[in-house]
Amino acid sequence: MRPPHPDREESPAVPTGSAVPTGPSPLTEAPESLAARAAALDAADPLAPLRHRFLLPEGVVYLDGNSLGPLPAAVPAALEDAVHRQWGTDLIRSWNDNAWWQAPLRVGDAIGRLVGAAPGQTVAGDSTSIHLFNALTAAARSRPDRPLLVTDPDHFPTDQYIAASVARLLGLELRRVPARELSGFLAEEGGRVAVAGYGPVDYRTGELYDMAGITRAVRDAGALMLWDLCHAAGALPVRLDAMGADFAVGCCYKFLNGGPGAPAFLYVAARHQAAFDHPLTGWNGHAAPFALSGGYVPAEGIGRARIGTPPMLSLLALEAALTAYDGVEMEQVRAKSLSLTGFLLDCAATLLDGLGFTPVTPREPERRGSQAVLRHPEAYGLIQALAARGVIGDMRAPDLLRFGVNALYLSHGEVLTAMRQLRDVAGGGEHRADRFRQRATVT
Ligand SMILES: *Cc1c(COP(=O)(O)O)cnc(C)c1O
């Protein structure tokens, strides 16, 4: 192995207010210019003040917000109020007096703004897995003459497991078709497809697919489109209404920073709501829940997608977390996210040269989600050793190092720090230390 790439990046920063370099960046560049670029990009970053909306620990570069977003500064006080005043003092009156009952739709609308959904189409609560089951089943039931359910063999496991179960339950056939082969498949078999369930971003590689194109192809085939936005909501602009998506689900603990196990969301396009026949007909979705009648009559509108009593503390934490997006447009988030991931790939190309890394995330902006991924056979040890140095990313077996970026709190300077640390770890063989070795899992 070659020694670490020598560099002298400690050159003076470009003065504040200088123009941000634009245009395509060279794949490799003099390492000393990386620090100058980071400083210039950060000085010109209109979203830089948003970092104060988060409570991040000192000395940590957090590149795992695509798994668990950090703590938004508004959350502790909101939870304190939810626990002491709303629960502790107002007690059961909070369902009315503190508008707990309305929270799933109110929070749903706040999420809707970030995913291109007009009010009245998004509900918050339950988990992504539960929403997937509900939406896939309802979608398939509304296309009773079509025997196929289609999903991505590279989709997150829960999406595949639930699609398989729904297919079994309804007597359908599950086909696994990679996103890039879907339009060809639909040209052949589209007339037999009830619903297609896909994610816009590959959770491992960070590749972004053409959401609008896929939605169009699915709808042109007369099938229904269900998007799983777990790796897109809060990370990049999604235009559910404008694209004509039929259904969408997503979790709120990744880019939306709603906290561990935060309630997820379900979008049902307004045109489908009257016929939305989902299997989890809980009493919260009843037209008159407090009539407590024995027969189920669904509520009008998105309210029928509610199931049972929502987890109020988590829902209020999520509501507070979403205020981190107040006054922010997703286009701004996207511009900075692309800048961060692009810069990370540039840093990797320069600083990690000769150390055995291969970039996996596509370079083209239109094919890149909000994470940058590198392949290395020793990914596990590298991620562990990096974390010990305060740079938190994660890995996906067997060999992917995943670095999620969130434009609300990360800087280009931190991205550079992370790649310098990775260079030092890999160059020095630090990741081969016994304490970073993968232990065999005992089952
Ligand atoms: C994170 C993620 C999930 C998680 O589902 P839960 O029900 O919250 O555990 C599902 N699908 C995708 C695509 C994900 O990225």
Side-chain angles (χ1 to χ4, degrees):
M1 177 180 290
R2 280 160 54 181
H5 199 281
D7 68 284
R8 285 165 285 104
E9 309 130 54
E10 313 301 337
S11 57
V14 170
T16 303
S18 65
V20 177
T22 53
S25 47
L27 269 179
T28 59
E29 63 177 283
E32 61 265 27
S33 74
L34 291 172
R37 258 180 78 197
L41 289 165
D42 288 339
D45 172 15
L47 302 188
L50 299 180
R51 186 186 175 92
H52 298 297
R53 296 184 179 182
F54 293 87
L55 300 173
L56 284 149
E58 264 321 292
V60 164
V61 176
Y62 196 58
L63 297 168
D64 212 359
N66 51 343
S67 267
L68 175 66
L71 173 61
V75 168
L79 269 181
E80 172 76 19
D81 180 65
V83 170
H84 283 123
R85 184 181 63 83
Q86 301 188 41
W87 178 16
T89 306
D90 295 348
L91 293 163
I92 199 164
R93 292 167 292 189
S94 282
W95 288 106
N96 293 317
D97 297 356
N98 294 309
W100 284 1
W101 182 259
Q102 292 81 6
L105 304 194
R106 185 175 74 236
V107 177
D109 282 345
I111 298 163
R113 177 181 89 80
L114 303 176
V115 293
Q121 302 178 98
T122 311
V123 65
D126 306 291
S127 67
T128 303
S129 299
I130 286 174
H131 289 315
L132 275 167
F133 175 76
N134 238 7
L136 274 175
T137 306
R141 279 174 169 177
S142 73
R143 291 287 186 277
D145 49 339
R146 291 169 171 243
L148 299 184
L149 213 148
V150 187
T151 195
D152 192 335
D154 296 318
H155 215 336
F156 189 80
T158 208
D159 298 71
Q160 299 192 57
Y161 303 160
I162 287 178
S165 174
V166 169
R168 201 145 44 88
L169 206 62
L170 301 181
L172 303 173
E173 188 187 334
L174 178 65
R175 294 284 187 87
R176 295 171 211 257
V177 182
R180 64 183 74 77
E181 293 168 22
L182 184 60
S183 57
F185 174 82
L186 290 169
E188 300 278 313
E189 304 239 38
R192 303 176 65 228
V193 175
V195 51
Y198 283 78
V201 182
D202 185 305
Y203 74 100
R204 280 174 294 213
T205 65
E207 177 167 1
L208 172 66
Y209 302 116
D210 172 13
M211 280 189 89
I214 291 175
T215 305
R216 205 177 314 118
V218 168
R219 298 203 53 207
D220 285 352
L224 294 164
M225 183 75 228
L226 167 69
W227 282 110
D228 183 330
L229 301 178
C230 281
H231 281 272
L236 45 94
V238 175
R239 300 180 179 90
L240 286 176
D241 287 345
M243 278 186 321
D246 298 296
F247 307 98
V249 300
C251 66
C252 296
Y253 51 76
K254 293 174 182 166
F255 290 96
L256 292 173
N257 315 300
F265 66 90
L266 167 64
Y267 160 92
V268 180
R271 65 184 176 282
H272 293 306
Q273 290 173 1
F276 187 66
D277 178 17
H278 62 105
L280 297 174
T281 47
W283 73 291
N284 278 217
H286 196 283
F290 296 99
L292 304 171
S293 73
Y296 183 76
V297 181
E300 292 292 313
I302 189 68
R304 74 172 52 189
R306 298 176 67 157
I307 304 171
T309 307
M312 280 312 307
L313 299 181
S314 299
L315 204 47
L316 293 172
L318 169 61
E319 184 167 33
L322 293 171
T323 64
Y325 281 88
D326 280 359
V328 182
E329 295 304 324
M330 287 310 301
E331 283 70 20
Q332 297 176 285
V333 172
R334 177 63 171 160
K336 181 172 171 191
S337 159
L338 280 175
S339 179
L340 288 167
T341 49
F343 185 62
L344 192 151
L345 293 170
D346 287 347
C347 290
T350 300
L351 300 174
L352 306 179
D353 186 28
L355 291 172
F357 292 89
T358 316
V360 172
T361 307
R363 278 245 154 215
E364 306 92 301
E366 68 280 4
R367 292 183 57 216
R368 204 188 317 144
S370 201
Q371 64 186 39
V373 181
L374 307 173
R375 191 184 300 280
H376 192 288
E378 295 164 297
Y380 181 89
L382 289 164
I383 283 293
Q384 300 299 317
L386 256 189
R389 285 170 168 252
V391 176
I392 302 180
D394 66 19
M395 64 91 62
R396 285 295 174 265
D399 56 4
L400 299 180
L401 293 92
R402 235 176 39 145
F403 301 106
V405 309
N406 188 321
L408 263 48
Y409 53 79
L410 277 175
S411 68
H412 298 81
E414 287 177 298
V415 164
L416 176 56
T417 298
M419 290 303 107
R420 282 174 174 166
Q421 296 278 11
L422 184 53
R423 171 206 57 198
D424 292 350
V425 164
E430 196 171 302
H431 57 292
R432 303 207 178 99
D434 205 37
R435 65 187 186 283
F436 300 133
R437 190 154 297 154
Q438 190 154 18
R439 314 256 173 252
T441 317
V442 182
T443 51

